[in-house]
Amino acid sequence: MDHMAEPAILDDQVSENETKNLLVFAYGSLCWKPGFTFNKAVLGRVKGYKRMFWQGNTTHRGTEEKPGRVATLIEDSEAEVYGVAYSVQGETALSYLSQRECEQGGYISKFTDFHSSSGQTLTVLLYIATPKNPLWLGDANVEEIAHQITDCQGPSGHNVEYLIRLANFTRKFFPHHYDHHLYSLEEKVLAIIEINKLNLEKLMGFGEGCIAFRRKTDSRESSPETIRRRNEERVETFEHTARVPGKKLRCLNI
Ligand SMILES: N[C@@H](CCC(=O)N[C@@H](CS)C(=O)NCC(=O)O)C(=O)O
């Protein structure tokens, strides 16, 4: 099982005062490995986009010779993308994101409307890779993308980990929203791993830097039964990963 810091709390909404802080919307690795500290995290969605694995990556989940594939947003007036908005303060998170997303990842930042699961409409900053960036790979069929993901890894870990952790996050917190592209890729990648007798736990890595979330309603003092269920749920959330020796999580100390 992953070594995780205490789960971060998913709040229901952002208070009036907190709306003055910057909100950053996450829809890819930032959902499960933000790498920066935040005041609050709220589930929700942005409209007019679809999430596609059309962005290449040579700095985290691939190499120059074998670029991996990571998520970006493609404009689609009929679609919406589910993720999490983080309320951040000060410059630290922004300079970290600028380095991780823009310099290393080829993403640009833009503001758009975010619709929280509790019905708030807020302005968020998000990072999006457009076809103009040098790492852009664009559309390909699920089979081709799945083979590429299964075959690539980089300094931050295997491309399979990136896909599976994102699928686990969206399935856990948005069980009523079927992201066809994401879950078709997950199904295909798991089939390729099975056929080729690859070790999924090894591909998933040790979960260093990853965070687990817990809904606020779940965070109250709980009965022994709820604590047992919570621990079971944590295993289910990160069922693909091996037990790791206790390690201090590096990336939350930005
Ligand atoms: N901007 C998207 C995607 C960000 C993303 O996945 N960026 C990659 C490539 S630069 C990354 O940071 N990967 C870190 C990792 O794979 O551990 C998000 O909000 O999550």
Side-chain angles (χ1 to χ4, degrees), residues 1-2 4 164-165 167-169 171-173 204 211-214 230-241:
M1 188 164 98
D2 283 340
M4 293 282 162
I164 301 295
R165 287 194 189 278
N168 284 345
F169 174 86
R171 190 170 23 246
K172 179 178 171 75
F173 292 111
M204 288 301 289
I211 63 170
F213 278 113
R214 176 158 312 293
R230 179 185 295 171
N231 288 332
E232 262 177 16
E233 191 182 54
R234 275 166 65 83
V235 173
E236 170 269 322
T237 304
F238 298 98
E239 64 194 359
H240 300 300
T241 56

Side-chain angles (χ1 to χ4, degrees), residues 26-34 51 83-84 86 166 169 211 213:
Y27 60 86
S29 64
L30 296 179
C31 293
W32 44 271
K33 191 166 90 171
R51 175 178 28 221
V84 55
Y86 296 104
L166 180 58
F169 174 86
I211 63 170
F213 278 113

Side-chain angles (χ1 to χ4, degrees), residues 24-33 55-57 59-61 70-72 96 100-102 104-107 126-128 156-158 161-162:
V24 175
F25 179 67
Y27 60 86
S29 64
L30 296 179
C31 293
W32 44 271
K33 191 166 90 171
Q55 173 65 358
N57 184 264
T59 51
H60 288 280
R61 300 289 164 169
V70 293
T72 186
Y96 169 76
R100 168 172 162 176
E101 298 287 285
C102 305
Q104 291 177 359
Y107 291 79
L126 57 75
Y127 292 85
I128 185 169
S156 297
H158 204 284
E161 178 196 17
Y162 181 106

